[in-house]
Amino acid sequence: MKRTSVVKFYTYNADNNIKQAPTDTHNNGIELELNSAKDKIEDIEPSTAMGSFYVKTLKNNNDNDIFFNDVNGGTTPIFNSYNIGTIKIFKSKPGLVYEDLDSKVIKSAETKKTLYRGSARLLNIDTSNNIYIGITDNDRITKILYGPTEKAISQWKSITFNTPVDKNNIYVTDEGKIYINNTSEHYILDKIPSKKIDYSGTLLKITNKEIIYVNNKKLIKKNIS
């Protein structure tokens, strides 16, 4: 008998410490039945504005399944592919963009359109539906291209770095702010406009309004808006 696994979903609000189970139109908790008990959830990309989310699962042979949970709570498989990297969703319309690591392309899941071909990493999609792609050289990002799918990528805007940057040190917020984390000197650089924001300790996250870091075992939030 084929063994399957059922995954239940919850939302968590860190500000009020409340965990909730999202429900479908029949007020039932949202669940996803995986094809195998050995499958793993690799990523969940939620859209608060759309009331939907995408789920990326990983099989033992590096195959990935992508599922879509719509506003009514219904979950359907979208596609299967080998070796999918980062996935990002549009914030104010249906749709998903993903890295095809084997073919070295960044694609739209719905239109099957190739957005970029070459060595690159998908960074984020902002609330205006601009896609941010980091062009890489030896796995470090040298330039960021950003723009909407309605324009050819040759018409997108770009930011070029004087020194290549590790992807893990680049933060693109949902509002389209681009920050570079300097881990040795403990500051983040706001690229537009260019300004430094100091912090002390270990950086955890950058949001639209604040940076979150740990210093002397204390969680600290610093306003940057």
Side-chain angles (χ1 to χ4, degrees):
M1 179 179 293
K2 183 180 179 181
R3 294 180 60 204
T4 61
S5 179
V6 175
V7 178
K8 297 182 178 181
F9 294 94
Y10 297 90
T11 61
Y12 175 71
N13 189 321
D15 292 329
N16 54 26
N17 197 32
I18 293 178
K19 182 178 78 170
Q20 292 179 313
T23 57
D24 59 21
T25 52
H26 301 290
N27 206 34
N28 297 317
I30 294 174
E31 297 180 347
L32 171 63
E33 183 175 352
L34 301 179
N35 294 323
S36 167
K38 295 181 179 180
D39 290 359
K40 298 178 180 179
I41 300 288
E42 268 203 328
D43 196 4
I44 300 174
E45 283 290 311
S47 172
T48 304
M50 297 296 296
S52 61
F53 60 88
Y54 288 81
V55 179
K56 172 188 170 186
T57 67
L58 174 67
K59 301 174 183 294
N60 282 342
N61 58 359
N62 274 346
D63 269 358
N64 296 105
D65 286 325
I66 303 295
F67 297 88
F68 174 64
N69 184 272
D70 60 35
V71 67
N72 297 318
T75 302
T76 55
I78 300 300
F79 69 97
N80 167 271
S81 185
Y82 183 76
N83 205 8
I84 296 175
T86 298
I87 64 172
K88 293 293 179 182
I89 65 169
F90 293 102
K91 306 300 189 293
S92 57
K93 67 177 182 178
L96 175 139
V97 177
Y98 68 97
E99 298 173 345
D100 182 331
L101 298 180
D102 272 1
S103 301
K104 290 187 176 180
V105 297
I106 294 176
K107 302 178 71 173
S108 165
E110 279 68 27
T111 65
K112 308 299 181 184
K113 177 183 178 182
T114 294
L115 302 174
Y116 187 86
R117 185 179 299 276
S119 298
R121 301 302 303 271
L122 177 60
L123 301 176
N124 202 6
I125 302 177
D126 67 21
T127 52
S128 297
N129 296 324
N130 291 306
I131 303 168
Y132 294 75
I133 296 174
I135 311 306
T136 62
D137 182 15
N138 292 324
D139 293 326
R140 294 174 70 84
I141 292 176
T142 59
K143 180 168 67 173
I144 293 178
L145 301 176
Y146 59 102
T149 55
E150 291 78 14
K151 290 184 177 181
I153 200 165
S154 59
Q155 297 178 304
W156 286 13
K157 297 179 180 179
S158 66
I159 294 176
T160 301
F161 302 143
N162 294 327
T163 303
V165 180
D166 189 291
K167 176 184 180 290
N168 295 326
N169 290 330
I170 298 177
Y171 295 79
V172 180
T173 71
D174 289 347
E175 290 185 352
K177 299 288 287 183
I178 300 173
Y179 296 101
I180 310 300
N181 179 30
N182 187 312
T183 56
S184 60
E185 298 184 31
H186 298 283
Y187 68 82
I188 60 172
L189 178 65
D190 184 348
K191 291 297 292 182
I192 309 173
S194 182
K195 67 175 181 179
K196 291 182 179 180
I197 303 168
D198 295 317
Y199 69 92
S200 56
T202 302
L203 182 68
L204 298 180
K205 187 176 182 180
I206 303 177
T207 69
N208 294 323
K209 297 182 178 180
E210 60 191 7
I211 61 173
I212 302 171
Y213 57 95
V214 173
N215 187 27
N216 292 326
K217 298 182 179 180
K218 292 182 179 180
L219 186 66
I220 300 173
K221 297 179 180 181
K222 182 174 182 178
N223 194 300
I224 57 176
S225 60

